[in-house]
Coordinates of all heavy atoms in Angstrom, one line a residue:
E260 N 35.7 0.8 -8.1 CA 36.0 1.4 -9.4 C 34.9 1.4 -10.4 O 34.6 2.4 -11.1 CB 37.3 0.8 -10.0 CG 38.6 1.1 -9.3 CD 39.8 0.4 -9.9 OE1 39.5 -0.4 -10.9 OE2 40.9 0.7 -9.5
A261 N 34.1 0.3 -10.4 CA 33.0 0.2 -11.3 C 31.9 1.2 -10.9 O 31.3 1.8 -11.8 CB 32.4 -1.3 -11.2
W262 N 31.7 1.3 -9.6 CA 30.7 2.3 -9.1 C 31.1 3.7 -9.5 O 30.3 4.5 -10.0 CB 30.5 2.2 -7.6 CG 29.4 1.3 -7.2 CD1 29.5 0.0 -6.8 CD2 28.0 1.6 -7.3 NE1 28.2 -0.5 -6.5 CE2 27.3 0.4 -6.8 CE3 27.2 2.7 -7.7 CZ2 25.9 0.4 -6.8 CZ3 25.9 2.6 -7.6 CH2 25.2 1.5 -7.2
L263 N 32.4 4.1 -9.3 CA 32.9 5.4 -9.6 C 32.9 5.7 -11.1 O 32.6 6.8 -11.5 CB 34.3 5.6 -9.0 CG 34.4 5.6 -7.5 CD1 35.9 5.6 -7.0 CD2 33.7 6.8 -6.9
N264 N 33.1 4.7 -11.9 CA 33.0 4.8 -13.3 C 31.6 5.1 -13.7 O 31.3 5.8 -14.6 CB 33.6 3.6 -14.0 CG 35.1 3.5 -13.9 OD1 35.8 4.5 -13.7 ND2 35.6 2.3 -14.0
Y265 N 30.7 4.4 -13.1 CA 29.3 4.5 -13.4 C 28.8 5.9 -13.0 O 28.0 6.6 -13.7 CB 28.4 3.5 -12.6 CG 26.9 3.7 -12.7 CD1 26.2 3.5 -13.8 CD2 26.3 4.2 -11.5 CE1 24.8 3.7 -13.8 CE2 24.9 4.5 -11.6 CZ 24.2 4.2 -12.7 OH 22.8 4.4 -12.8
L266 N 29.2 6.4 -11.8 CA 28.7 7.7 -11.3 C 29.3 8.9 -12.0 O 28.7 9.9 -12.2 CB 29.0 7.8 -9.8 CG 28.2 6.8 -8.9 CD1 28.7 7.0 -7.5 CD2 26.7 7.1 -9.0
E267 N 30.6 8.7 -12.5 CA 31.3 9.8 -13.2 C 31.3 11.1 -12.3 O 30.9 12.2 -12.8 CB 30.7 10.1 -14.5 CG 30.8 8.9 -15.5 CD 30.3 9.2 -16.9 OE1 29.9 10.4 -17.1 OE2 30.3 8.3 -17.7
L268 N 31.7 11.0 -11.1 CA 31.6 12.2 -10.2 C 32.6 13.2 -10.6 O 32.4 14.4 -10.4 CB 31.9 11.7 -8.8 CG 30.9 10.8 -8.1 CD1 31.4 10.4 -6.7 CD2 29.6 11.5 -8.0
D269 N 33.8 12.8 -11.2 CA 34.8 13.8 -11.5 C 34.4 14.8 -12.4 O 34.8 16.0 -12.3 CB 36.1 13.0 -12.0 CG 36.8 12.2 -10.9 OD1 36.5 12.5 -9.7 OD2 37.5 11.3 -11.3
A270 N 33.6 14.5 -13.4 CA 33.2 15.5 -14.4 C 32.4 16.6 -13.8 O 32.7 17.8 -14.1 CB 32.3 14.8 -15.5
L271 N 31.5 16.3 -12.9 CA 30.7 17.4 -12.3 C 31.6 18.1 -11.2 O 31.5 19.3 -11.1 CB 29.4 16.8 -11.6 CG 28.5 17.8 -11.0 CD1 28.1 19.0 -11.9 CD2 27.3 17.1 -10.4
R272 N 32.4 17.4 -10.5 CA 33.3 18.0 -9.5 C 34.2 19.1 -10.2 O 34.4 20.2 -9.7 CB 34.1 17.0 -8.8 CG 33.3 16.3 -7.7 CD 34.2 15.6 -6.7 NE 34.8 14.4 -7.3 CZ 35.4 13.4 -6.6 NH1 35.4 13.5 -5.3 NH2 35.9 12.4 -7.2
E273 N 34.7 18.7 -11.3 CA 35.6 19.6 -12.1 C 34.9 20.8 -12.5 O 35.4 21.9 -12.5 CB 36.2 18.8 -13.3 CG 37.2 19.7 -14.1 CD 37.9 18.9 -15.2 OE1 37.7 17.7 -15.2 OE2 38.5 19.5 -16.0
A274 N 33.6 20.6 -13.0 CA 32.8 21.7 -13.5 C 32.5 22.7 -12.4 O 32.5 23.9 -12.6 CB 31.6 21.2 -14.2
V275 N 32.2 22.1 -11.2 CA 31.9 23.0 -10.0 C 33.1 23.7 -9.6 O 33.1 24.9 -9.3 CB 31.3 22.1 -8.9 CG1 31.2 23.0 -7.6 CG2 29.9 21.6 -9.3
N276 N 34.2 23.0 -9.5 CA 35.4 23.7 -9.0 C 35.9 24.8 -9.9 O 36.5 25.8 -9.5 CB 36.5 22.6 -8.8 CG 36.3 21.8 -7.5 OD1 35.9 22.3 -6.5 ND2 36.7 20.5 -7.6
E277 N 35.7 24.6 -11.2 CA 36.2 25.5 -12.2 C 35.1 26.6 -12.6 O 35.3 27.4 -13.5 CB 36.6 24.8 -13.5 CG 37.9 23.9 -13.3 CD 38.3 23.2 -14.5 OE1 37.7 23.4 -15.6 OE2 39.3 22.5 -14.5
D278 N 34.0 26.5 -11.9 CA 32.9 27.4 -12.1 C 32.5 27.5 -13.6 O 32.4 28.5 -14.2 CB 33.2 28.8 -11.6 CG 32.0 29.7 -11.5 OD1 30.9 29.1 -11.4 OD2 32.1 30.9 -11.5
A279 N 32.3 26.3 -14.2 CA 31.9 26.2 -15.6 C 30.5 26.8 -15.7 O 29.8 27.2 -14.7 CB 31.8 24.7 -16.0
S280 N 30.1 27.0 -16.9 CA 28.8 27.6 -17.2 C 27.6 26.9 -16.5 O 27.7 25.7 -16.2 CB 28.5 27.7 -18.7 OG 28.3 26.4 -19.2
V281 N 26.5 27.7 -16.3 CA 25.4 27.1 -15.7 C 24.8 25.9 -16.5 O 24.5 24.9 -16.0 CB 24.3 28.1 -15.5 CG1 22.9 27.5 -15.1 CG2 24.7 29.2 -14.5
A282 N 24.9 26.1 -17.9 CA 24.4 25.0 -18.7 C 25.2 23.7 -18.6 O 24.7 22.6 -18.5 CB 24.4 25.5 -20.2
T283 N 26.5 23.9 -18.6 CA 27.4 22.8 -18.4 C 27.2 22.0 -17.1 O 27.1 20.8 -17.1 CB 28.9 23.2 -18.6 OG1 29.1 23.8 -19.9 CG2 29.9 22.0 -18.4
Q284 N 27.2 22.8 -16.0 CA 27.0 22.2 -14.7 C 25.6 21.5 -14.6 O 25.5 20.4 -14.1 CB 27.2 23.2 -13.6 CG 28.6 23.8 -13.4 CD 28.7 24.7 -12.2 OE1 28.4 24.3 -11.1 NE2 29.2 25.9 -12.5
G285 N 24.6 22.2 -15.2 CA 23.3 21.7 -15.1 C 23.1 20.4 -15.9 O 22.5 19.4 -15.3
N286 N 23.7 20.3 -17.1 CA 23.6 19.0 -17.8 C 24.3 17.9 -17.1 O 23.8 16.8 -17.0 CB 24.2 19.2 -19.2 CG 23.4 20.1 -20.1 OD1 22.1 20.2 -19.9 ND2 24.0 20.8 -21.1
L287 N 25.5 18.2 -16.5 CA 26.2 17.1 -15.8 C 25.5 16.7 -14.5 O 25.4 15.5 -14.2 CB 27.6 17.6 -15.5 CG 28.6 17.8 -16.6 CD1 29.8 18.5 -16.2 CD2 28.9 16.5 -17.3
A288 N 24.9 17.7 -13.9 CA 24.2 17.4 -12.6 C 22.9 16.6 -12.9 O 22.6 15.6 -12.2 CB 23.8 18.7 -11.9
V289 N 22.2 16.9 -13.9 CA 20.9 16.2 -14.3 C 21.3 14.8 -14.7 O 20.6 13.8 -14.3 CB 20.2 16.9 -15.4 CG1 19.1 16.0 -16.0 CG2 19.6 18.2 -14.9
A290 N 22.4 14.6 -15.4 CA 22.8 13.3 -15.8 C 23.2 12.4 -14.6 O 22.9 11.2 -14.5 CB 24.0 13.3 -16.8
L291 N 23.9 13.0 -13.7 CA 24.3 12.3 -12.5 C 23.1 11.9 -11.6 O 22.9 10.8 -11.1 CB 25.3 13.1 -11.6 CG 25.7 12.6 -10.3 CD1 26.3 11.2 -10.4 CD2 26.6 13.5 -9.5
H292 N 22.1 12.9 -11.5 CA 20.9 12.6 -10.8 C 20.2 11.4 -11.3 O 19.6 10.6 -10.6 CB 20.0 13.9 -10.7 CG 18.9 13.8 -9.8 ND1 17.6 13.4 -10.2 CD2 18.8 14.0 -8.4 CE1 16.8 13.4 -9.1 NE2 17.5 13.8 -8.1
E293 N 20.1 11.4 -12.7 CA 19.4 10.2 -13.3 C 20.1 8.9 -13.0 O 19.5 7.9 -12.8 CB 19.3 10.5 -14.8 CG 18.3 11.6 -15.2 CD 18.2 11.7 -16.7 OE1 18.9 10.9 -17.4 OE2 17.3 12.5 -17.2
R294 N 21.5 9.0 -13.0 CA 22.2 7.7 -12.7 C 22.0 7.3 -11.2 O 22.2 6.1 -10.9 CB 23.7 7.9 -13.0 CG 24.0 8.1 -14.4 CD 25.5 7.9 -14.7 NE 26.3 9.0 -14.2 CZ 26.5 10.2 -14.8 NH1 26.0 10.4 -16.0 NH2 27.3 11.1 -14.2
L295 N 21.6 8.2 -10.4 CA 21.4 7.9 -9.0 C 20.0 7.4 -8.7 O 19.7 7.1 -7.5 CB 21.7 9.1 -8.1 CG 23.2 9.5 -8.0 CD1 23.3 10.9 -7.4 CD2 23.9 8.5 -7.1
I296 N 19.2 7.3 -9.7 CA 17.8 6.8 -9.6 C 17.7 5.6 -10.6 O 17.9 5.7 -11.8 CB 16.7 7.8 -10.0 CG1 16.8 9.0 -9.0 CG2 15.4 7.2 -9.9 CD1 15.8 10.1 -9.4
G297 N 17.4 4.4 -10.0 CA 17.3 3.2 -10.9 C 17.0 2.0 -10.0 O 16.7 2.1 -8.9
I298 N 17.2 0.8 -10.6 CA 16.9 -0.4 -9.9 C 18.1 -1.1 -9.5 O 18.0 -2.2 -8.9 CB 16.0 -1.3 -10.8 CG1 16.8 -1.8 -12.0 CG2 14.7 -0.6 -11.2 CD1 16.1 -2.8 -12.8
A299 N 19.3 -0.6 -9.7 CA 20.5 -1.2 -9.3 C 20.7 -1.4 -7.8 O 20.5 -0.3 -7.1 CB 21.7 -0.5 -9.9
P300 N 20.9 -2.6 -7.3 CA 21.1 -2.7 -5.8 C 22.3 -1.8 -5.4 O 23.3 -1.8 -6.0 CB 21.4 -4.2 -5.6 CG 20.7 -4.8 -6.8 CD 20.9 -3.9 -8.0
G301 N 22.1 -1.1 -4.3 CA 23.1 -0.2 -3.8 C 22.7 1.2 -3.9 O 23.2 2.1 -3.1
L302 N 21.8 1.6 -4.8 CA 21.4 3.0 -4.9 C 20.6 3.4 -3.7 O 20.4 4.6 -3.6 CB 20.6 3.2 -6.2 CG 21.4 3.1 -7.5 CD1 20.4 3.2 -8.7 CD2 22.4 4.2 -7.6
E303 N 20.1 2.5 -2.9 CA 19.4 2.9 -1.7 C 20.3 3.1 -0.5 O 19.8 3.5 0.5 CB 18.4 1.8 -1.3 CG 19.0 0.5 -0.7 CD 19.6 -0.5 -1.7 OE1 19.7 -0.1 -2.9 OE2 20.0 -1.6 -1.3
L304 N 21.6 2.9 -0.6 CA 22.5 3.2 0.5 C 22.5 4.6 0.9 O 22.3 5.5 0.1 CB 23.9 2.8 0.1 CG 24.2 1.3 -0.2 CD1 25.6 1.0 -0.7 CD2 23.9 0.5 1.1
R305 N 22.6 4.8 2.2 CA 22.4 6.2 2.7 C 23.4 7.2 2.1 O 23.0 8.3 1.8 CB 22.7 6.2 4.2 CG 22.4 7.5 4.9 CD 22.7 7.4 6.4 NE 21.8 6.4 7.0 CZ 21.8 6.0 8.3 NH1 22.7 6.6 9.1 NH2 21.0 5.1 8.7
T306 N 24.6 6.8 1.8 CA 25.6 7.7 1.2 C 25.2 8.1 -0.2 O 25.3 9.3 -0.5 CB 27.0 7.0 1.1 OG1 27.4 6.6 2.4 CG2 28.0 7.9 0.5
L307 N 24.6 7.2 -1.0 CA 24.2 7.6 -2.3 C 22.9 8.3 -2.3 O 22.7 9.2 -3.1 CB 24.0 6.3 -3.2 CG 25.4 5.5 -3.4 CD1 25.1 4.3 -4.3 CD2 26.3 6.4 -4.2

Side-chain angles (χ1 to χ4, degrees):
E260 290 178 352
W262 269 102
L263 292 174
N264 289 335
Y265 168 76
L266 294 173
E267 296 183 5
L268 296 175
D269 289 340
L271 182 55
R272 279 195 291 199
E273 182 178 349
V275 171
N276 284 323
E277 295 182 358
D278 196 20
S280 68
V281 169
T283 298
Q284 293 187 54
N286 290 335
L287 290 171
V289 169
L291 175 56
H292 190 265
E293 289 185 355
R294 290 193 293 273
L295 287 166
I296 299 176
I298 65 173
L302 288 175
E303 76 279 8
L304 293 174
R305 183 179 304 176
T306 300
L307 294 179

